[in-house]
């Protein structure tokens, strides 16, 4: 089974930059999007053979997630556990016979860290939610999680220490999640690999010089770690300030 996750930073703009070519070429079983930045009715994607599930933010042109899947799920939920009123469109959960598929766009703490407290509360709720799902059946969790977990996961670790996405608090929340029975699939396959990133600033030549951050993840229940066939980063694919990430898993 092939799964892809991509923060498209606006699906309408990404479609104009070749999204559909990549989508059809990859022929994934499940394709997850974050930061779709649109409301219902603003795009009509004809994806033959796929069910489409969208979670829109109330605020126009902001946040949002989507999942395109070949196999219809048993159930679909939007929002975080009991917080079905979550109005930023950040999370979708599909339930299948053998697993839960969760995609998420984690809130950014903001440059001045003004949203850090909200972010940390969100992280606690996400962990509780995923642990509850995992008690029922294994979880595959993906998305833009807005944190570089270790110093291997960004180019300039020392200079960025304490900045949004690389605060001790955010990194500790990721460690706590993984410690609760989950595995970062890319780091599982490549424990010491550096210079592989999923996001680059739009500033001049930053991407060309590969000054980036790895903040997009596929995370799975620990008991699925032996099922991982491939974890990859398609950093050559343009169309967004993020690139797609891939997980292949066997059952």
């Amino acid at each position: 089974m092939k799964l892809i996750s991509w923060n498209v930073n606006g699906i309408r703009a990404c479609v104009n930059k070749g999204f559909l070519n990549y989508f059809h070429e990859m022929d994934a079983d499940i394709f997850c999007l974050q930061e779709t930045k649109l409301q219902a009715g603003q795009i009509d994607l004809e994806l033959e053979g796929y069910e489409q599930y969208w979670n829109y933010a109330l605020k126009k042109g902001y946040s949002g997630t989507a999942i395109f899947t070949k196999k219809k799920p048993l159930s679909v939920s939007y929002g975080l556990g009991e917080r079905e009123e979550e109005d930023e469109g950040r999370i979708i959960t599909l339930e299948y016979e053998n697993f839960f598929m969760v995609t998420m766009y984690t809130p950014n703490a903001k440059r001045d860290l003004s949203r850090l407290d909200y972010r940390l509360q969100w992280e606690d709720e996400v962990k509780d939610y995923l642990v509850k799902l995992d008690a029922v059946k294994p979880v595959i969790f993906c998305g833009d999680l807005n944190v570089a977990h270790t110093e291997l996961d960004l180019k300039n670790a020392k200079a960025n220490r304490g900045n949004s996405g690389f605060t001790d608090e955010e990194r500790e929340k990721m460690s706590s999640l993984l410690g609760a029975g989950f595995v970062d699939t890319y780091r599982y396959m490549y424990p010491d690999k550096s210079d592989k990133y999923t996001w680059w600033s739009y500033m001049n030549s930053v991407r060309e010089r590969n000054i980036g951050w790895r903040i997009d993840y596929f995370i799975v229940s620990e008991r699925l770690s032996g099922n991982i066939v491939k974890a990859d980063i398609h950093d050559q694919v343009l169309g967004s300030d993020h690139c797609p990430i891939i997980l292949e898993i066997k059952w």
Side-chain angles (χ1 to χ4, degrees):
M1 185 172 68
K2 182 192 294 183
L3 306 98
I4 295 177
S5 177
W6 193 3
N7 178 323
V8 290
N9 194 10
I11 183 60
R12 289 170 291 178
C14 198
V15 164
N16 291 331
K17 298 174 184 176
F19 171 83
L20 289 172
N21 291 335
Y22 177 77
F23 178 86
H24 292 304
E25 177 188 344
M26 294 309 299
D27 191 32
D29 296 286
I30 300 176
F31 201 117
C32 301
L33 305 183
Q34 304 85 43
E35 212 171 355
T36 51
K37 290 186 172 180
L38 82 173
Q39 268 62 46
Q42 290 190 307
I43 197 169
D44 182 16
L45 284 181
E46 293 187 9
L47 306 175
E48 188 176 351
Y50 286 86
E51 303 284 335
Q52 299 187 30
Y53 302 97
W54 298 79
N55 193 3
Y56 306 103
L58 294 182
K59 182 179 176 181
K60 291 184 177 180
Y62 179 73
S63 190
T65 48
I67 302 182
F68 311 140
T69 173
K70 289 182 177 179
K71 185 177 181 181
K72 190 171 183 177
L74 301 176
S75 67
V76 184
S77 63
Y78 303 92
L80 193 52
E82 296 178 0
R83 276 182 47 178
E84 291 289 338
E85 79 282 359
E86 189 269 313
D87 61 7
E88 295 186 355
R90 292 186 176 275
I91 188 165
I92 304 173
T93 302
L94 306 186
E95 180 185 3
Y96 291 97
E97 185 178 354
N98 298 325
F99 67 100
F100 288 104
M101 178 77 237
V102 181
T103 196
M104 189 173 80
Y105 176 41
T106 298
N108 191 303
K110 292 195 173 181
R111 184 180 292 271
D112 63 358
L113 301 184
S114 60
R115 219 180 185 200
L116 181 59
D117 286 346
Y118 174 78
R119 160 70 181 265
L120 298 178
Q121 178 188 344
W122 172 276
E123 296 282 5
D124 288 339
E125 292 181 13
V126 167
K127 178 184 168 184
D128 289 346
Y129 178 62
L130 295 177
V131 166
K132 286 177 182 175
L133 292 181
D134 185 53
V136 177
K137 61 183 79 173
V139 175
I140 300 175
F141 170 50
C142 72
D144 173 4
L145 305 189
N146 261 319
V147 62
H149 183 217
T150 75
E151 293 189 357
L152 290 173
D153 296 318
L154 73 170
K155 189 69 170 182
N156 297 316
K158 286 186 178 179
N160 282 291
R161 177 83 182 269
N163 287 344
S164 176
F166 200 58
T167 62
D168 291 348
E169 294 92 336
E170 290 166 303
R171 296 168 66 195
E172 285 165 5
K173 293 297 184 185
M174 173 65 90
S175 295
S176 177
L177 173 62
L178 297 177
F182 297 94
V183 170
D184 171 356
T185 59
Y186 187 79
R187 197 52 72 203
Y188 178 82
M189 298 293 281
Y190 306 105
D192 303 312
K193 199 173 187 70
S194 59
D195 295 322
K196 289 292 284 185
Y197 308 120
T198 65
W199 173 81
W200 303 262
S201 165
Y202 276 131
M203 291 170 61
N204 252 353
S205 302
V206 166
R207 187 159 184 171
E208 290 81 354
R209 291 181 288 152
N210 198 31
I211 302 173
W213 297 49
R214 188 176 76 94
I215 59 175
D216 300 84
Y217 298 82
F218 268 105
I219 290 172
V220 301
S221 296
E222 209 162 42
R223 60 192 182 279
L224 291 182
S225 59
N227 298 52
I228 300 169
V229 175
K230 182 179 182 180
D232 203 0
I233 294 171
H234 281 188
D235 48 11
Q236 79 283 2
V237 176
L238 305 178
S240 168
D241 52 347
H242 293 250
C243 73
I245 58 172
I246 293 84
L247 174 66
E248 292 185 19
I249 196 161
K250 63 184 178 183
W251 295 99

